[in-house]
Amino acid sequence: MPPINERLHGTVSVFLKERETIKYDLICILDVFGRFAALEMNVDLDELAAKVSRVAAELE
């Protein structure tokens, strides 16, 4: 964002995603690579992240 009187140079705005949004994003990433994950929001976030990491390692 450009600096203004209320927001000096070097100021940032940080927006954190909600846990459910992150889960949905990880499920979508896995879907792109043909690694389907259950589209259930009770899926473990750590498990999804680990699965994405494994797919990324395979692509290296």
Side-chain angles (χ1 to χ4, degrees):
M1 291 185 266
I4 59 174
N5 288 338
E6 296 83 25
R7 190 178 57 241
L8 303 177
H9 181 70
T11 302
V12 298
S13 292
V14 176
F15 300 93
L16 300 177
K17 289 185 175 185
E18 301 228 1
R19 188 174 190 81
E20 300 306 311
T21 303
I22 294 171
K23 284 182 183 181
Y24 182 77
D25 289 349
L26 291 173
I27 289 169
C28 290
I29 289 168
L30 291 169
D31 186 49
V32 167
F33 291 101
R35 308 297 173 88
F36 302 102
L39 190 55
E40 299 173 20
M41 296 319 276
N42 61 353
V43 173
D44 182 56
L45 183 58
D46 292 328
E47 180 183 327
L48 285 171
K51 201 171 205 181
V52 169
S53 293
R54 287 192 297 273
V55 169
E58 291 173 13
L59 296 174
E60 292 180 345

